[in-house]
Every structure is written in structure tokens, then in C-alpha cells.
């Protein structure tokens, strides 16, 4: 599809987890064609910086709407209005969002608002942190003989509703502040208190770090190590495949393949 329209247009682009190498080619072409980029801080800014470091010139004006330490993010309603206003000015607008716009990124809301205002809008999917961040810690969300399904959640009510055992992987996004509640809730189910857990902090960033424990121990480990957001939490037996898993939790790929 032509990404250089003759009138104002909005393209919702998933920036991925923050590594410019994981930006899709279609997303890059949209950035190169843009007049203005409305960017999140997490993921999106790191990708723009990474492209610049690789010598890729993006000439568009960049408007930062992400949350910074000590400052509140631009409200979603204001972002929606900004996208429509810029497009109505005849500008080619890229809304650059961390991860994938449709995975807890409120991309659906932005698309619906633009369409309701009569603005042309397109979505360019990105690599979600729910999958890519566990991968850098050597954790596949599914693995033959170990796990056949996974669920991605953020909220308390969602966690309470998750069934299944340790072969059903759970990925918690934005879950550090509610980690104690999540761990206790999941431990009460079939997974049990000894179910493996991994926290991957600052995936693809300079402070990337992995903490591995169990539902019974992870809260104390996180407190002792000063675990901070952004981080992705993975719960399930697939965590045992990680090279970061301690010996008592480790499950070799060879053994897993034989299951």
C-alpha cells in the first residue's frame, strides 16, 4: 500500500520493544515518508535514536507524548485530537507506539477516533514486548512438551480469570506494581507456589536484567534486587528453559524435547 498519500493521513506504527532492528520495513518506510511523528517514550524513542545511530535520516518533526520521570503523559483524548488535527492540516502523521499498537497500546481507540473524524488511518503491526522480551531471556512462550498456550494480561481481574496449570504460560505486562497480588493469585491455582517465574527488566535497553524464581520467592527477590519498570513477567514451566534459571529450576532443551 502506498504510504505517501495525497492528503492528511495517520499511520499507527508499532515500534517494537525498543531495538531499531526489530522495526518492520513497512514501519521504517512510514517514518521516512512522515511529516510529523507523534511518539511514545517507551520503545518508540529508543527506535528513533537507534535509527539515527545507524545513519538513517528521519526528517519528520517529532512530538513526544510519552511519560517522562516527574511528568505526566499527554492524556489519550488529547493525543486523539492531535492526530486528527495534524491530519486535517494535510500532514502525513505517524503515531509511533511501543510494541504493537493493538497489544495494550490503545491503538484500537486511536484508529476508531480517526475514522469517526473522517481521517484515513492505517495500522502497521509491530513486534510486541510480550513475546520479544521473554525471548531475549531464552524463554519461549510455548515449547513442545512444556507449554502449549500462553495468555498476556495486565489487570487484577484478568489474572483471577486465568485457568490452567504451569503448561499455560502467563505473561504480565506493566505488572511490577501489582506483582505481589499476581504471584499470590496464581500460586493459589493449579500452578502452585513452586511454579517458575522470570522478570525481564528493560528488555533491549542498557539496564536489561533477568531475575528468576518461583511464585513463592519472586516478591522477595524483586525487592532485594530493586526490580523496576519497565519489565515483563513470565510465569510457567517455560521459564525453566532460560539459561538464567538456577540449577534447581533449569530444564534443558534436550530434556524438554524428549517430553
Amino acid at each position: 500500500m502506498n504510504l505517501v498519500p495525497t492528503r492528511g493521513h495517520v499511520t499507527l506504527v508499532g515500534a517494537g520493544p525498543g531495538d531499531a532492528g526489530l522495526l518492520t520495513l513497512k514501519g521504517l518506510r512510514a517514518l521516512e515518508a512522515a511529516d510529523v511523528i507523534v511518539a511514545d517514550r517507551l520503545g518508540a524513542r529508543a527506535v528513533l535514536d537507534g535509527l539515527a545511530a545507524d545513519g538513517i535520516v528521519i526528517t519528520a518533526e517529532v512530538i513526544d507524548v510519552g511519560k517522562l520521570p516527574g511528568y505526566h503523559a499527554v492524556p489519550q483524548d488529547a493525543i486523539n485530537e492531535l492526530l486528527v488535527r495534524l491530519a486535517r492540516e494535510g500532514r502525513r502523521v505517524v503515531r509511533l507506539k511501543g510494541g504493537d499498537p493493538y497489544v495494550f497500546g490503545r491503538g484500537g481507540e486511536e484508529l476508531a477516533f480517526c475514522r469517526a473524524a473522517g481521517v484515513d488511518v492505517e495500522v502497521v503491526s509491530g513486534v510486541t514486548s510480550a513475546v520479544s522480551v521473554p525471548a531475549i531471556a531464552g524463554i519461549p512462550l510455548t515449547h513442545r512438551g512444556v507449554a502449549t498456550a500462553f495468555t498476556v494480561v495486565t489487570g487484577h481481574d484478568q489474572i483471577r480469570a486465568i485457568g490452567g496449570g504451569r503448561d499455560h504460560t502467563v505473561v504480565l505486562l506493566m505488572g511490577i506494581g501489582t506483582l505481589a497480588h499476581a504471584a499470590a493469585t496464581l500460586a493459589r491455582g493449579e500452578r502452585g507456589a513452586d511454579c517458575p517465574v522470570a522478570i525481564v527488566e528493560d528488555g533491549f535497553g542498557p539496564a536489561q536484567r533477568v531475575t528468576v524464581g518461583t511464585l513463592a520467592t519472586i516478591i522477595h527477590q524483586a525487592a532485594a534486587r530493586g526490580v523496576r519498570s519497565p519489565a515483563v513477567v513470565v510465569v510457567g514451566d517455560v521459564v525453566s528453559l532460560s539459561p538464567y534459571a538456577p540449577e534447581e529450576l533449569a530444564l534443558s532443551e534436550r530434556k524438554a524435547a524428549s517430553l
Side-chain angles (χ1 to χ4, degrees):
M1 182 175 181
N2 184 9
L3 290 173
V4 188
T6 57
R7 61 175 180 167
H9 179 274
V10 173
T11 305
L12 307 180
V13 175
D19 184 339
L22 292 178
L23 177 69
T24 66
L25 182 58
K26 190 170 186 178
L28 174 60
R29 295 291 179 258
L31 292 173
E32 292 175 327
D35 296 312
V36 58
I37 299 168
V38 179
D40 282 345
R41 180 177 69 89
L42 285 178
R45 266 298 181 178
V47 164
L48 291 175
D49 292 342
L51 292 175
D54 288 340
I56 298 174
V57 178
I58 304 296
T59 60
E61 173 191 358
V62 178
I63 300 175
D64 195 333
V65 296
K67 185 176 181 180
L68 295 169
Y71 297 89
H72 293 292
V74 176
Q76 186 63 50
D77 289 346
I79 293 174
N80 295 345
E81 295 283 357
L82 175 63
L83 297 176
V84 168
R85 176 175 62 80
L86 292 170
R88 285 177 173 171
E89 292 173 358
R91 305 176 78 178
R92 295 164 296 190
V93 184
V94 166
R95 173 71 172 107
L96 188 61
K97 305 173 72 66
D100 182 276
Y102 280 176
V103 181
F104 299 114
R106 306 189 72 171
E109 298 173 43
E110 294 175 358
L111 180 139
F113 190 90
C114 289
R115 284 183 173 169
V119 171
D120 291 336
V121 60
E122 179 184 7
V123 177
V124 178
S125 298
V127 177
T128 173
S129 61
V131 174
S132 58
V133 171
I136 60 177
I139 303 171
L141 300 189
T142 63
H143 191 96
R144 185 167 67 90
V146 181
T148 58
F150 68 91
T151 298
V152 182
V153 295
T154 61
H156 289 186
D157 292 338
Q158 295 169 318
I159 294 169
R160 283 196 293 269
I162 298 173
R166 290 148 66 140
D167 60 343
H168 183 153
T169 307
V170 178
V171 182
L172 306 178
L173 301 182
M174 299 170 281
I176 296 304
T178 57
L179 183 59
H181 169 87
T185 300
L186 293 172
R188 284 194 293 267
E190 292 181 36
R191 292 170 180 84
D194 61 343
C195 179
V197 182
I199 303 174
V200 188
E201 296 173 78
D202 194 30
F204 298 94
Q208 179 180 303
R209 185 172 61 161
V210 181
T211 302
V212 176
T214 67
L215 287 172
T217 66
I218 197 64
I219 301 303
H220 299 292
Q221 290 173 271
R225 301 194 76 189
V227 167
R228 301 178 61 184
S229 296
V232 174
V233 181
V234 186
V235 181
D237 274 343
V238 290
V239 170
S240 299
L241 292 168
S242 172
Y244 296 96
E247 185 175 350
E248 63 270 20
L249 291 177
L251 178 65
S252 71
E253 291 188 11
R254 179 177 299 178
K255 181 179 178 181
S258 68
L259 294 175

